[in-house]
């Protein structure tokens, strides 16, 4: 297909042209990258393991060969659902592949599955919830079944000094967050890779046979020092793209809501899908999520950089108060010069998650003209986030009794039977 040809060797990693600043991002993956990043001066680089530099999203669309979510798609969604979700309006979800096809098939009566996932490397923070909120919305609007993959194996393999004890703990903790999002238990299955590998192993083996080491090197940057678990991992993340066709016993389209850094996985999977007799997985891509410190890194290993769903109100208040902003060093300068909303994580969260369109425009104007001080925005953020998190915490508690409703086999997380001889 044309869009894949824009990046013929599927690396998405070649030198980028001069990038215009388009805001802030985070490194969400505290993993060690398989290859040194290739970035030059004012450039940026995006792989599933690291995001470096200031990301220019329109450039990324070009480089990855995806498509912007344009008026045509927006009209189509509006026609089907009667509305447009704020995350599409405010361009948090900004890019796609084959979303038009998914909608066209849906209009003909062909239902699609949703597929998304989580690498359980730590507690879930505010930013992680955003694609999930949107996935839950899509599930409701399109009455779609959802496969939710937990890549505990990936986190073990890609992260130095990882161990399965802590990964299993975060698997449990993260599942509480996922359930707290309100996914429909009748239409959602959470697949935990090491626990549920039998549901994925055959398809992932079929995928693996069709991907050469040279493709994997080019797309993911693997080299001779990469451990072979990492090299073998991509087909396991690809497998749920085809699982719905096996479950439904007919070719079944899949739509993946995910941050755009996961795109390399879908590129290799799309490349072989039709040869294997499956529809190419479609995607809807979100932007990256900024942390709360300057430099824009949000990481579970640096707890001060993120608002976790397990944080209490005092901690949240403290973190937001200590947050880096786009403000001037003094009030006088702020009044005179105005703040820089474009690089401000407080503005970012209020804009994408809490403010209405109108409120956000006013905030932008008031900030940049010096009428608004950072303390006021921080207070607004605290007042929005605390009840938001409180609600999730109540739902997380309830989720503890609901896990069996979401596992693939209807059993508890630790239900694995040990091998025994009589
Ligand atoms: N690799 C993702 C991560 O590290 C987890 C994941 C697995 C995922 N399958 C997915 C994310 C599908 C989005 C969509 O977090």
């Amino acid at each position: 297909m044309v869009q894949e040809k824009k990046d013929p060797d599927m690396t998405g990693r070649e030198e980028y042209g001069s990038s215009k600043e388009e805001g802030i991002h985070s490194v969400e993956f505290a993993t060690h990258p398989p290859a040194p990043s290739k970035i030059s001066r004012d450039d940026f680089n995006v792989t599933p393991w690291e995001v470096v530099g200031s990301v220019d999203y329109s450039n990324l669309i070009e480089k990855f060969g995806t498509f912007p979510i344009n008026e045509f798609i927006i009209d189509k969604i509006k026609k089907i659902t009667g509305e447009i979700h704020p995350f599409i309006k405010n361009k948090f979800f900004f890019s796609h592949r084959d979303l038009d096809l998914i909608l066209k098939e849906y209009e003909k009566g062909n239902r699609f599955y949703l597929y998304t996932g989580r690498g359980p490397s730590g507690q879930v923070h505010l930013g992680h919830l955003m694609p999930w909120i949107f996935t839950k919305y899509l599930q409701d609007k399109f009455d779609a079944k959802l496969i939710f993959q937990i890549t505990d194996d990936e986190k073990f393999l890609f992260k130095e000094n990882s161990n399965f004890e802590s990964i299993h703990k975060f698997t449990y903790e993260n599942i509480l967050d996922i359930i707290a999002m309100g996914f429909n238990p009748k239409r959602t299955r959470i697949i935990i890779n090491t626990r549920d590998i039998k549901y994925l192993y055959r398809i992932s083996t079929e995928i693996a046979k069709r991907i050469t080491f040279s493709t994997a090197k080019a797309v993911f940057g693997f080299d001779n020092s990469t451990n072979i678990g990492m090299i073998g991992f991509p087909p396991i993340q690809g497998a749920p793209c085809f699982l719905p066709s096996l479950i439904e016993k007919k070719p079944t389209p899949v739509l993946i809501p995910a941050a755009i850094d996961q795109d390399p996985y879908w590129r290799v999977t799309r490349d072989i899908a039709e040869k294997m007799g499956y529809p190419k997985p479609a995607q809807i891509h979100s932007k990256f999520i900024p942390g709360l410190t300057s430099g824009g890194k949000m990481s579970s290993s640096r707890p001060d950089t993120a608002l976790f769903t397990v944080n209490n109100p005092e901690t949240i208040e403290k973190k937001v108060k200590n947050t880096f902003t786009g403000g001037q060093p003094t009030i006088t300068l702020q009044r005179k010069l105005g703040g820089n909303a474009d690089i401000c994580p407080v503005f970012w969260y209020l804009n994408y998650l809490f403010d209405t369109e109108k409120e956000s425009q006013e905030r932008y104007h008031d900030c940049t003209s010096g009428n608004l001080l950072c303390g006021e925005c921080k207070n607004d953020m605290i007042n929005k986030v605390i009840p938001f998190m409180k609600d999730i915490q109540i739902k997380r508690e309830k989720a503890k009794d609901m896990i069996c409703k979401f596992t693939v086999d209807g059993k508890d997380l630790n239900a694995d039977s040990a091998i025994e001889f009589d």
Side-chain angles (χ1 to χ4, degrees), residues 238-255:
C241 298
F242 302 150
L243 197 54
S245 295
L246 298 189
I247 297 169
E248 300 295 325
K249 301 190 178 61
K250 63 171 189 204
T252 303
V254 169
L255 175 64

PDB file of all heavy atoms in Angstrom, residues 238-255:
ATOM      1  N   GLY A 238       2.403  -8.736  18.006  1.00  0.00           N
ATOM      2  CA  GLY A 238       1.625  -8.762  16.762  1.00  0.00           C
ATOM      3  C   GLY A 238       0.454  -9.737  16.825  1.00  0.00           C
ATOM      4  O   GLY A 238      -0.589  -9.511  16.191  1.00  0.00           O
ATOM      5  N   ALA A 239       0.602 -10.804  17.601  1.00  0.00           N
ATOM      6  CA  ALA A 239      -0.384 -11.893  17.589  1.00  0.00           C
ATOM      7  C   ALA A 239      -1.833 -11.460  17.854  1.00  0.00           C
ATOM      8  O   ALA A 239      -2.746 -11.903  17.143  1.00  0.00           O
ATOM      9  CB  ALA A 239       0.042 -12.992  18.561  1.00  0.00           C
ATOM     10  N   PRO A 240      -2.074 -10.585  18.823  1.00  0.00           N
ATOM     11  CA  PRO A 240      -3.483 -10.211  19.065  1.00  0.00           C
ATOM     12  C   PRO A 240      -4.146  -9.486  17.887  1.00  0.00           C
ATOM     13  O   PRO A 240      -5.367  -9.367  17.854  1.00  0.00           O
ATOM     14  CB  PRO A 240      -3.405  -9.292  20.291  1.00  0.00           C
ATOM     15  CG  PRO A 240      -2.157  -9.714  20.989  1.00  0.00           C
ATOM     16  CD  PRO A 240      -1.191 -10.052  19.890  1.00  0.00           C
ATOM     17  N   CYS A 241      -3.340  -9.036  16.924  1.00  0.00           N
ATOM     18  CA  CYS A 241      -3.928  -8.409  15.729  1.00  0.00           C
ATOM     19  C   CYS A 241      -4.738  -9.435  14.930  1.00  0.00           C
ATOM     20  O   CYS A 241      -5.671  -9.070  14.214  1.00  0.00           O
ATOM     21  CB  CYS A 241      -2.838  -7.850  14.814  1.00  0.00           C
ATOM     22  SG  CYS A 241      -1.848  -6.552  15.552  1.00  0.00           S
ATOM     23  N   PHE A 242      -4.341 -10.693  15.022  1.00  0.00           N
ATOM     24  CA  PHE A 242      -4.996 -11.734  14.221  1.00  0.00           C
ATOM     25  C   PHE A 242      -5.908 -12.628  15.062  1.00  0.00           C
ATOM     26  O   PHE A 242      -6.707 -13.385  14.517  1.00  0.00           O
ATOM     27  CB  PHE A 242      -3.941 -12.610  13.527  1.00  0.00           C
ATOM     28  CG  PHE A 242      -3.008 -11.820  12.632  1.00  0.00           C
ATOM     29  CD1 PHE A 242      -1.700 -12.239  12.423  1.00  0.00           C
ATOM     30  CD2 PHE A 242      -3.442 -10.659  11.998  1.00  0.00           C
ATOM     31  CE1 PHE A 242      -0.842 -11.509  11.597  1.00  0.00           C
ATOM     32  CE2 PHE A 242      -2.591  -9.926  11.173  1.00  0.00           C
ATOM     33  CZ  PHE A 242      -1.287 -10.350  10.977  1.00  0.00           C
ATOM     34  N   LEU A 243      -5.767 -12.567  16.355  1.00  0.00           N
ATOM     35  CA  LEU A 243      -6.561 -13.413  17.244  1.00  0.00           C
ATOM     36  C   LEU A 243      -8.068 -13.285  17.002  1.00  0.00           C
ATOM     37  O   LEU A 243      -8.785 -14.295  16.966  1.00  0.00           O
ATOM     38  CB  LEU A 243      -6.207 -13.060  18.693  1.00  0.00           C
ATOM     39  CG  LEU A 243      -6.579 -14.039  19.789  1.00  0.00           C
ATOM     40  CD1 LEU A 243      -6.047 -15.430  19.510  1.00  0.00           C
ATOM     41  CD2 LEU A 243      -6.061 -13.533  21.141  1.00  0.00           C
ATOM     42  N   PRO A 244      -8.581 -12.048  16.791  1.00  0.00           N
ATOM     43  CA  PRO A 244     -10.024 -11.916  16.554  1.00  0.00           C
ATOM     44  C   PRO A 244     -10.510 -12.738  15.363  1.00  0.00           C
ATOM     45  O   PRO A 244     -11.620 -13.281  15.394  1.00  0.00           O
ATOM     46  CB  PRO A 244     -10.203 -10.407  16.320  1.00  0.00           C
ATOM     47  CG  PRO A 244      -9.114  -9.793  17.135  1.00  0.00           C
ATOM     48  CD  PRO A 244      -7.939 -10.719  16.956  1.00  0.00           C
ATOM     49  N   SER A 245      -9.703 -12.861  14.324  1.00  0.00           N
ATOM     50  CA  SER A 245     -10.111 -13.671  13.170  1.00  0.00           C
ATOM     51  C   SER A 245     -10.239 -15.135  13.570  1.00  0.00           C
ATOM     52  O   SER A 245     -11.102 -15.850  13.060  1.00  0.00           O
ATOM     53  CB  SER A 245      -9.108 -13.534  12.024  1.00  0.00           C
ATOM     54  OG  SER A 245      -9.117 -12.202  11.540  1.00  0.00           O
ATOM     55  N   LEU A 246      -9.371 -15.595  14.476  1.00  0.00           N
ATOM     56  CA  LEU A 246      -9.476 -16.983  14.940  1.00  0.00           C
ATOM     57  C   LEU A 246     -10.688 -17.147  15.853  1.00  0.00           C
ATOM     58  O   LEU A 246     -11.431 -18.124  15.750  1.00  0.00           O
ATOM     59  CB  LEU A 246      -8.216 -17.403  15.693  1.00  0.00           C
ATOM     60  CG  LEU A 246      -6.899 -17.390  14.918  1.00  0.00           C
ATOM     61  CD1 LEU A 246      -5.793 -18.040  15.733  1.00  0.00           C
ATOM     62  CD2 LEU A 246      -7.036 -18.107  13.578  1.00  0.00           C
ATOM     63  N   ILE A 247     -10.893 -16.182  16.739  1.00  0.00           N
ATOM     64  CA  ILE A 247     -12.017 -16.270  17.673  1.00  0.00           C
ATOM     65  C   ILE A 247     -13.338 -16.279  16.892  1.00  0.00           C
ATOM     66  O   ILE A 247     -14.222 -17.097  17.152  1.00  0.00           O
ATOM     67  CB  ILE A 247     -12.018 -15.083  18.674  1.00  0.00           C
ATOM     68  CG1 ILE A 247     -10.753 -15.107  19.536  1.00  0.00           C
ATOM     69  CG2 ILE A 247     -13.259 -15.124  19.563  1.00  0.00           C
ATOM     70  CD1 ILE A 247     -10.539 -13.837  20.374  1.00  0.00           C
ATOM     71  N   GLU A 248     -13.450 -15.380  15.909  1.00  0.00           N
ATOM     72  CA  GLU A 248     -14.704 -15.246  15.156  1.00  0.00           C
ATOM     73  C   GLU A 248     -14.812 -16.228  14.000  1.00  0.00           C
ATOM     74  O   GLU A 248     -15.839 -16.306  13.333  1.00  0.00           O
ATOM     75  CB  GLU A 248     -14.848 -13.814  14.620  1.00  0.00           C
ATOM     76  CG  GLU A 248     -14.861 -12.720  15.686  1.00  0.00           C
ATOM     77  CD  GLU A 248     -16.072 -12.780  16.613  1.00  0.00           C
ATOM     78  OE1 GLU A 248     -17.175 -13.151  16.159  1.00  0.00           O
ATOM     79  OE2 GLU A 248     -15.899 -12.460  17.818  1.00  0.00           O
ATOM     80  N   LYS A 249     -13.709 -16.932  13.725  1.00  0.00           N
ATOM     81  CA  LYS A 249     -13.639 -17.905  12.618  1.00  0.00           C
ATOM     82  C   LYS A 249     -13.948 -17.272  11.263  1.00  0.00           C
ATOM     83  O   LYS A 249     -14.523 -17.896  10.373  1.00  0.00           O
ATOM     84  CB  LYS A 249     -14.582 -19.091  12.875  1.00  0.00           C
ATOM     85  CG  LYS A 249     -14.265 -19.827  14.166  1.00  0.00           C
ATOM     86  CD  LYS A 249     -15.049 -21.121  14.277  1.00  0.00           C
ATOM     87  CE  LYS A 249     -14.718 -21.884  15.536  1.00  0.00           C
ATOM     88  NZ  LYS A 249     -15.015 -21.150  16.788  1.00  0.00           N
ATOM     89  N   LYS A 250     -13.598 -16.028  11.115  1.00  0.00           N
ATOM     90  CA  LYS A 250     -13.682 -15.341   9.822  1.00  0.00           C
ATOM     91  C   LYS A 250     -12.788 -14.090   9.899  1.00  0.00           C
ATOM     92  O   LYS A 250     -12.543 -13.583  11.003  1.00  0.00           O
ATOM     93  CB  LYS A 250     -15.126 -14.939   9.500  1.00  0.00           C
ATOM     94  CG  LYS A 250     -15.721 -13.960  10.478  1.00  0.00           C
ATOM     95  CD  LYS A 250     -17.053 -13.426   9.999  1.00  0.00           C
ATOM     96  CE  LYS A 250     -17.466 -12.296  10.900  1.00  0.00           C
ATOM     97  NZ  LYS A 250     -18.747 -11.914  11.070  1.00  0.00           N
ATOM     98  N   PRO A 251     -12.301 -13.614   8.743  1.00  0.00           N
ATOM     99  CA  PRO A 251     -11.430 -12.442   8.794  1.00  0.00           C
ATOM    100  C   PRO A 251     -12.123 -11.282   9.513  1.00  0.00           C
ATOM    101  O   PRO A 251     -13.223 -10.880   9.126  1.00  0.00           O
ATOM    102  CB  PRO A 251     -11.187 -12.100   7.316  1.00  0.00           C
ATOM    103  CG  PRO A 251     -11.418 -13.389   6.600  1.00  0.00           C
ATOM    104  CD  PRO A 251     -12.501 -14.104   7.372  1.00  0.00           C
ATOM    105  N   THR A 252     -11.516 -10.790  10.576  1.00  0.00           N
ATOM    106  CA  THR A 252     -12.155  -9.783  11.424  1.00  0.00           C
ATOM    107  C   THR A 252     -11.209  -8.598  11.606  1.00  0.00           C
ATOM    108  O   THR A 252     -10.089  -8.779  12.075  1.00  0.00           O
ATOM    109  CB  THR A 252     -12.501 -10.399  12.804  1.00  0.00           C
ATOM    110  OG1 THR A 252     -13.348 -11.532  12.582  1.00  0.00           O
ATOM    111  CG2 THR A 252     -13.207  -9.410  13.711  1.00  0.00           C
ATOM    112  N   PRO A 253     -11.651  -7.400  11.223  1.00  0.00           N
ATOM    113  CA  PRO A 253     -10.760  -6.245  11.349  1.00  0.00           C
ATOM    114  C   PRO A 253     -10.497  -5.855  12.801  1.00  0.00           C
ATOM    115  O   PRO A 253     -11.344  -6.082  13.681  1.00  0.00           O
ATOM    116  CB  PRO A 253     -11.515  -5.120  10.629  1.00  0.00           C
ATOM    117  CG  PRO A 253     -12.849  -5.635  10.283  1.00  0.00           C
ATOM    118  CD  PRO A 253     -12.969  -7.068  10.654  1.00  0.00           C
ATOM    119  N   VAL A 254      -9.321  -5.287  13.008  1.00  0.00           N
ATOM    120  CA  VAL A 254      -8.909  -4.880  14.350  1.00  0.00           C
ATOM    121  C   VAL A 254      -8.448  -3.426  14.300  1.00  0.00           C
ATOM    122  O   VAL A 254      -7.735  -3.037  13.382  1.00  0.00           O
ATOM    123  CB  VAL A 254      -7.747  -5.778  14.845  1.00  0.00           C
ATOM    124  CG1 VAL A 254      -7.119  -5.222  16.106  1.00  0.00           C
ATOM    125  CG2 VAL A 254      -8.230  -7.187  15.092  1.00  0.00           C
ATOM    126  N   LEU A 255      -8.870  -2.642  15.291  1.00  0.00           N
ATOM    127  CA  LEU A 255      -8.426  -1.253  15.409  1.00  0.00           C
ATOM    128  C   LEU A 255      -7.628  -1.117  16.704  1.00  0.00           C
ATOM    129  O   LEU A 255      -8.099  -1.503  17.769  1.00  0.00           O
ATOM    130  CB  LEU A 255      -9.632  -0.303  15.440  1.00  0.00           C
ATOM    131  CG  LEU A 255      -9.318   1.173  15.687  1.00  0.00           C
ATOM    132  CD1 LEU A 255      -8.484   1.769  14.556  1.00  0.00           C
ATOM    133  CD2 LEU A 255     -10.609   1.984  15.874  1.00  0.00           C
TER     134      LEU A 255
END
